[in-house]
Amino acid sequence: MSKSDLPRPTDSELSILRVLWRRGPSTVREVLEEMAPGTGYTTVLKFLQIMAEKGLVRRDESRRTHVYRPAASREETQRKLTGDLIKRAFNGSAKSLVLQALSGTKASAEDLAEIRRLLDEIETKKAKR
Amino acid sequence: MSKSDLPRPTDSELSILRVLWRRGPSTVREVLEEMAPGTGYTTVLKFLQIMAEKGLVRRDESRRTHVYRPAASREETQRKLTGDLIKRAFNGSAKSLVLQALSGTKASAEDLAEIRRLLDEIETKKAKR
DNA sequence: TTGACATTACGAATTTCTTCGTAGTTACTG
DNA sequence: CAGTAACTACGAAGAAATTCGTAATGTCAA
């Protein structure tokens, strides 16, 4: 099963993935401790089990206490979600999304500079071809 | 109820909204004709009814055949969805999303130019303050 | 007016999402 | 070794999403 076959994570699943990306491989309890207070242990456990079924996380069962890690990196997932949003809400235009994100937010001067740098890089690469 | 209270549209709902944004106020049948072939009439009808309940669309019942229109503009919805994604998958960093969208796609030279133009505009505005 | 037809309303069936309770299992502690 | 603590497995329950079938109703032509 290729990575692109992974389903889009739901909101709840994403909040768990965020923890795993930040912490690296983790047990249920470790994830739980970083979740919103009031979250139940078995709720997190169940999600991780479901996510393992879906292929969103891998499970190491070699020890008594299972250890979960993300199946896809944060970047891969971000890419997938972004591409998805572009297709679903922006008629496939990445440009539209970028313009929307830029206008709808207050990015710092450094952020803008970094974006310019990436633009330069892309255009340089494009020119070289 | 303020616009920001509108729920995030599901995938199916979004595909209907896309039609409404393109066509403007439409009947069930008109929407149906622009949906993927094989879609059932009552399926579209039901979605529009649910969406009306949720506030995602407004319904004009003055005529026998009801006419539906989006409650929020394409831009507003795009803004909401983008902000949502930034929060859920990019730790609140719009910059990250922009960089991801830019690197993960092949934007045309004009697209890039347009983005630069917007960057200029933003920085000009920022400088004026 | 009476069909024929299009439309809306209603609700049912199925799937997924979300949350938790409970039961069973393993490991440690006194 | 008994008891407790922690963990996994299982399933249930409610809400939402998705898709349609069927019934009820209004419209218009013959």
Side-chain angles (χ1 to χ4, degrees):
Chain A
M1 177 172 58
S2 129
K3 253 160 195 166
S4 49
D5 292 344
L6 293 186
R8 178 149 46 101
T10 67
D11 280 8
S12 307
E13 289 167 346
L14 203 45
S15 69
I16 287 180
L17 284 175
R18 278 200 303 272
V19 174
L20 293 181
W21 288 325
R22 179 150 27 89
R23 290 200 78 263
S26 309
T27 66
V28 173
R29 186 152 303 280
E30 288 165 343
V31 171
L32 176 68
E33 270 154 15
E34 308 227 9
M35 300 286 292
T39 310
Y41 180 94
T42 50
T43 301
V44 174
L45 170 63
K46 187 62 162 184
F47 271 120
L48 282 168
Q49 287 171 341
I50 291 172
M51 288 166 80
E53 262 177 31
K54 292 184 182 178
L56 288 172
V57 300
R58 304 290 172 73
R59 173 165 54 180
D60 174 2
E61 314 185 0
S62 64
R63 284 185 288 152
R64 153 101 165 106
T65 299
H66 300 174
V67 176
Y68 296 85
R69 64 185 175 79
S73 69
R74 198 212 271 102
E75 290 70 26
E76 282 164 335
T77 306
Q78 286 175 340
R79 193 163 21 252
K80 185 185 182 60
L81 288 173
T82 305
D84 224 74
L85 183 62
I86 288 171
K87 198 180 312 159
R88 296 204 333 275
F90 288 88
N91 294 308
S93 163
K95 181 195 72 175
S96 302
L97 170 67
V98 170
L99 295 180
Q100 186 64 257
L102 281 181
S103 63
T105 192
K106 56 227 172 298
S108 76
E110 298 88 56
D111 288 352
L112 299 182
E114 189 167 349
I115 290 167
R116 278 185 199 281
R117 222 169 307 138
L118 180 60
L119 286 176
D120 292 343
E121 204 178 301
I122 291 174
E123 291 192 333
T124 306
K125 226 169 248 154
K126 205 187 278 290
K128 230 173 228 137
R129 266 187 287 111
Chain B
M1 178 170 61
S2 124
K3 254 161 196 169
S4 49
D5 292 344
L6 294 186
R8 176 149 48 100
T10 67
D11 281 7
S12 308
E13 290 167 347
L14 203 45
S15 69
I16 287 179
L17 284 175
R18 278 200 301 274
V19 174
L20 293 180
W21 287 323
R22 179 153 24 91
R23 291 200 78 267
S26 308
T27 66
V28 173
R29 187 152 301 281
E30 288 165 344
V31 171
L32 175 67
E33 271 154 15
E34 308 228 8
M35 299 287 289
T39 310
Y41 181 93
T42 51
T43 300
V44 174
L45 170 65
K46 186 62 162 185
F47 270 120
L48 282 168
Q49 286 170 342
I50 291 172
M51 290 167 78
E53 261 177 33
K54 292 184 182 178
L56 288 172
V57 299
R58 305 290 171 74
R59 174 165 53 182
D60 174 1
E61 314 184 1
S62 63
R63 284 185 288 151
R64 154 100 166 107
T65 299
H66 298 175
V67 176
Y68 296 85
R69 63 186 176 79
S73 69
R74 198 213 271 103
E75 290 70 26
E76 282 165 335
T77 306
Q78 286 175 340
R79 192 161 24 252
K80 182 183 187 62
L81 289 173
T82 304
D84 225 75
L85 183 63
I86 289 171
K87 198 179 310 158
R88 296 202 335 270
F90 288 88
N91 294 309
S93 163
K95 180 195 69 173
S96 301
L97 170 68
V98 170
L99 294 181
Q100 186 64 257
L102 281 181
S103 65
T105 193
K106 52 218 178 302
S108 75
E110 297 88 59
D111 288 352
L112 300 181
E114 190 167 347
I115 291 167
R116 279 185 199 282
R117 228 173 341 222
L118 181 59
L119 286 176
D120 292 343
E121 205 177 301
I122 292 173
E123 291 190 335
T124 305
K125 226 168 249 155
K126 205 187 276 291
K128 233 175 226 135
R129 263 188 286 110

